[in-house]
Amino acid sequence: MLGRGSVIVAGMSTDIDFSFTVLTGPARRHIRVFQIHQFLDRFAMGLTVAVVALALTDRGMDLFQISLLFGVYSVTTMTLELPFGGLADSIGRKPVFFTAVVASLISLALFLATRNFYVLALSFAFIGFGRALRSGTLDAWFVETFKTIAPNVDVQPALAKAQSANAMGLAFGAILGGLLPDILGSVATRVGFGIYDVSYVASFGVMLGVFVFTMVAIVEAPRPTSGRALRQGFANVPRVIREAGRLALKHPILSVLLTAQAFFLMATNPVEVIWPTHAKPMIDADYANTLIGVLTATYFFSNALGASVSPHVSRLFKRRHAVTLAATFACLAGLQILLALQGHIIGFLLAFIVYSVFLGVSETPESSILHRCVADRQRSTMLSLRSLIKQLGAAVGLVLVGAIADVYSAPVAWSVGAIFLVIAVILTLVLVIRLEVETG
């Protein structure tokens, strides 16, 4: 168990600034391999994320049902996050990630096979199952290996490179995912499928490629995987969860950080889910699906841009990551209201791009603070705990804001959601004060 603030103080006093050109060859290769992996994994997801709301609408779902389905995803993820994060800490990250890919393949197959709400809910449950398995697995492997081969180097820029590849994969996937229904949708309807199902078939194929790449390129020291080792791994999960929970509750930095993240997701996740249904009526119907894909790609490209510039933004604030986070949340609150006020596609696009850039900026400062608080033996579990807290915020936000959007409109719901960002700003300012006290 870590002492309160000990890792943060140590991290701030020893981590040197990042320069990719002076890293050792193994460190550079490690970053590149993870970038490729993140790109491919998110490319597979991006193929469907551009059209998921439209595909559900095509299957007869209304906004509230769409919100409920995403709520099923969030609740499933929350239920399973910590057990599987603890399992990854016990038996290894790679085998748990393989299981995540299998869960993703099952979810895609179920989605393609039905138009029934309850079967779709099962599909979204498998998406949540896969997300819970993914969370805190290879991310922890990346950070731990990087710290071993590049000791005392600031990890935030390395995380930013991975996050940028992540967003680029989603972006290119979204472009293709939006383009495929317009190109092949008529073929799909002739054989009895929906026009958006072609994007799901493509995602299934790429996900198989992710499985192969992980097997070949991700190298992890083998851990016992016999039946006895697996039973012991599951048996150790409660202890690992208890330790991580105690750390989160007793460590003031972590508790404030995780609470702020929950409010952040309550505000922003409904925007990410609902915006295609709001934007599509503004677009010429002949090109709507392709342009929604392009807009989704623009969102992820903007995320990638935000992630890539976040180390520079952090330097403006003298690498005080909590200050960077507070300023970013404040900007997002104003931008979310501005986005809600747009009634024309050009104004919506411009506001959406800036909003997405700031979402990208917000990722790595928060991750840098968290990683400095956690030992390697708890890293996967703590990342899973963070994801659980985020999913809780996302689920509450989707149900609340989704209901408001169904009764009134998406812009009204987004404006209400901006209040949660204001709360996140206040909590992050508390975090700034706590960090300054802890570092003297």
Side-chain angles (χ1 to χ4, degrees):
M1 183 70 66
L2 300 174
R4 290 175 58 172
S6 60
V7 177
I8 290 179
V9 175
M12 288 188 173
S13 61
T14 62
D15 283 359
I16 61 174
D17 205 358
F18 180 100
S19 175
F20 187 79
T21 57
V22 300
L23 288 176
T24 63
R28 291 197 298 271
R29 283 194 299 274
H30 179 63
I31 292 173
R32 290 193 185 105
V33 165
F34 193 57
Q35 282 181 301
I36 294 170
H37 185 277
Q38 290 293 284
F39 179 89
L40 291 174
D41 190 40
R42 296 316 188 267
F43 181 79
M45 296 179 184
L47 285 164
T48 61
V49 76
V51 298
V52 60
L54 301 177
L56 290 171
T57 301
D58 188 55
R59 280 164 163 74
M61 304 298 115
D62 59 31
L63 284 178
F64 186 60
Q65 287 176 309
I66 292 172
S67 297
L68 286 177
L69 288 171
F70 277 92
V72 168
Y73 156 74
S74 295
V75 170
T76 305
T77 305
M78 285 188 293
T79 303
L80 300 175
E81 281 281 11
L82 283 175
F84 286 116
L87 185 64
D89 279 332
S90 298
I91 69 169
R93 287 75 161 100
K94 193 171 175 178
V96 174
F97 183 84
F98 279 142
T99 311
V101 175
V102 173
S104 297
L105 291 169
I106 292 172
S107 73
L108 290 167
L110 284 171
F111 194 97
L112 286 166
T114 189
R115 301 174 70 90
N116 180 274
F117 174 82
Y118 296 102
V119 181
L120 288 170
L122 182 61
S123 171
F124 273 75
F126 268 100
I127 297 173
F129 179 47
R131 169 64 183 270
L133 288 163
R134 273 179 173 81
S135 177
T137 53
L138 294 189
D139 303 76
W141 166 83
F142 173 71
V143 171
E144 291 164 13
T145 307
F146 182 82
K147 285 180 173 292
T148 299
I149 58 183
N152 299 325
V153 175
D154 186 2
V155 74
Q156 189 209 354
L159 288 168
K161 284 183 175 293
Q163 176 62 24
S164 180
N166 180 314
M168 292 291 281
L170 286 165
F172 282 109
I175 291 174
L176 185 58
L179 190 61
L180 285 174
D182 284 341
I183 296 175
L184 300 175
S186 59
V187 176
T189 56
R190 283 200 296 272
V191 296
F193 288 95
I195 64 170
Y196 303 104
D197 290 352
V198 290
S199 299
Y200 279 81
V201 172
S203 179
F204 191 95
V206 176
M207 196 64 70
L208 290 174
V210 171
F211 189 94
V212 174
F213 183 83
T214 304
M215 184 180 297
V216 173
I218 303 298
V219 179
E220 181 183 33
R223 305 189 193 191
T225 55
S226 65
R228 181 179 179 183
L230 287 173
R231 288 194 297 272
Q232 186 61 43
F234 277 106
N236 288 338
V237 166
R239 175 185 57 79
V240 175
I241 292 173
R242 283 195 302 271
E243 290 183 0
R246 281 198 294 266
L247 176 60
L249 289 172
K250 293 182 179 180
H251 200 303
I253 303 301
L254 281 174
S255 58
V256 175
L257 178 66
L258 293 174
T259 305
Q261 285 295 302
F263 280 103
F264 165 68
L265 264 294
M266 287 174 69
T268 58
N269 204 54
V271 178
E272 297 180 64
V273 170
I274 296 173
W275 76 262
T277 63
H278 177 65
K280 188 174 180 180
M282 304 180 192
I283 304 170
D284 188 319
D286 292 336
Y287 308 101
N289 295 320
T290 298
L291 288 177
I292 287 294
V294 171
L295 280 172
T296 305
T298 301
Y299 165 76
F300 291 122
F301 279 128
S302 300
N303 274 187
L305 175 61
S308 66
V309 303
S310 63
H312 304 289
V313 175
S314 186
R315 289 189 189 103
L316 293 177
F317 294 101
K318 299 179 180 179
R319 296 172 66 203
R320 299 163 67 200
H321 300 313
V323 178
T324 305
L325 201 59
T328 304
F329 285 170
C331 292
L332 281 168
L335 287 166
Q336 185 156 315
I337 294 172
L338 179 64
L339 184 67
L341 295 175
Q342 304 307 310
H344 189 273
I345 190 61
I346 299 300
F348 180 87
L349 176 60
L350 293 174
F352 192 58
I353 289 173
V354 179
Y355 181 81
S356 303
V357 169
F358 275 87
L359 284 176
V361 171
S362 72
E363 288 285 341
T364 54
E366 179 265 338
S367 294
S368 297
I369 297 169
L370 182 138
H371 282 298
R372 289 178 177 182
C373 297
V374 184
D376 284 351
R377 64 188 176 84
Q378 292 178 310
R379 197 174 304 278
S380 283
T381 309
M382 187 54 65
L383 288 172
S384 291
L385 178 61
R386 176 184 67 174
S387 185
L388 185 153
I389 298 295
K390 285 184 173 184
Q391 291 302 320
L392 176 61
V396 172
L398 277 170
V399 172
L400 177 60
V401 177
I404 295 172
D406 198 45
V407 174
Y408 297 100
S409 67
V412 171
W414 295 342
S415 297
V416 172
I419 297 171
F420 300 135
L421 274 169
V422 174
I423 297 172
V425 172
I426 295 170
L427 288 169
T428 312
L429 290 173
V430 172
L431 185 64
V432 172
I433 296 170
R434 286 190 177 278
L435 280 168
E436 288 180 350
V437 170
E438 297 239 1
T439 56

